[in-house]
Amino acid sequence: MRPETKVGLFTVIGIVLFGITIYMLGNVSMGGEYKINVRFGDVSGLPKKSVVKLNGVDVGKVRDIQMRGDHVNVVLGIRDHVEIYRDSVFKIASTSLIGTKYLAIVQGSGAAGVLKHGDTVDGSKELPLEEMLAQTMNTVQDLAKSVNSNGDLGRNLNETMLNMRLLSNNLNSLIASMKPYLENTMTNVSRSTDDLQTLMARADEITRQIQESEGVLGALINDPQMKMDVKESVSNLKTTMGEAKEFIGKMSRFRVFWMYDGYYNTASGAVSNNVGLKIYPSNDYMYYRVGLSNLGNTNNIQGKDDYMEKNQLDARLGFYNRYFDVSAGYIMGAGGLAAVVTPFADTEFLNKFSVQGQATDFGRDRDINGRHFSKPNLWYGVNFEINKYLNVGAGVEDALEVNQPYIKASVKFQDKDIAAFFGLATLAK
């Protein structure tokens, strides 16, 4: 066995032991947890591994989401020291209108008892935002129908105003009969009467305009063209709300991540840096990745065993699910394929390990840093996910030619501003 291969093998073993140590000491979330099953009719885009909050405080994670017949079963991992009462309310919440969704728990009363490991409860049946918007539009339509229902609204207003006039007359008579007993408060009563008379004068004017079909309300009741304009306005409002609903849906599903990979070649001592954007459109199975590999100054002198070519373009299309991630395109400056496989995606802790490989530059036949290369550029290795932002790994680069071991660290974080920009760009027509 070549010395470089031995070094790579021991490095891989070290990374695996390092990952196991991190998990056993802290398991990222620090401490044990128990599981609770929550039944929902609709999870409204709740992602797996999202946060669980009890009265606004983080107490666990969403561990799994499963279809069970006509409902959705959401498995929650709750920290051992946290007690949740049986009459608590479980619902899906969001940090903002298009923000990240999470599972919110409103704590119940201690008299109802405490939920135990494996218990099943029902989630809240609150309507999703889309259905609430639809109900609002139905209410607007009902209002428009009532305005256009053969003048009923106008007649009802006329009757109401006539009743108000009768009430005013009776009130004036009552005040006149009580005048001998109100000498000491006549000034205040006089002011109140003046205000009331002014109000009734305005009411008389409104009644007259309605009876003579003057003003906006009279036109709305008696003018067919006005009715048609109101119907058209309501229809336009409905269309606008539908477009707003579609826009919000696309914007909430569009995600963009910054990706950074740092490689250290243990044979040559060279360091290479890759940076790029990983763009997830509105569907749930594909992405685009663009960036540059091995960033550096081409005028710098390469080391003796450094065969990485600098500033190479990386542009590819990828497909993924829980078990694999396959991409193809222009990888490290040449056409090729790349794959990441997670064989234990359904197993706790082991799902943090994945195996990766890529093959590029199949027609390579050139000299690089004084050495001739004629075989494809093949890389392979193993990764360990520390958390959703950071993972580490080790493997072998250019295995068919120089077979040099490497270790690496990768950082990923989401950029919602760029995601919003791409979301708006896709809606432009």
Side-chain angles (χ1 to χ4, degrees), residues 14 62-63 91 107 143 158 184 218 264 272 301 325 350 377 393 400:
V62 173
R63 294 305 182 191
K91 60 184 180 180
Q107 184 68 289
L143 176 60
N158 282 332
N184 294 330
Y264 174 71
S272 60
I301 300 174
D325 181 323
L350 291 180
N377 191 350
L400 300 181

Side-chain angles (χ1 to χ4, degrees), residues 401-413:
E401 287 282 0
V402 295
N403 198 38
Q404 294 177 333
Y406 70 82
I407 56 176
K408 76 161 189 171
S410 298
V411 178
K412 176 180 74 173
F413 62 92

Side-chain angles (χ1 to χ4, degrees), residues 287 315-319 326-331 336-338:
Y287 65 86
R316 61 179 97 169
L317 171 65
F319 299 87
V326 178
S327 58
Y330 212 60
I331 303 175
L337 301 170

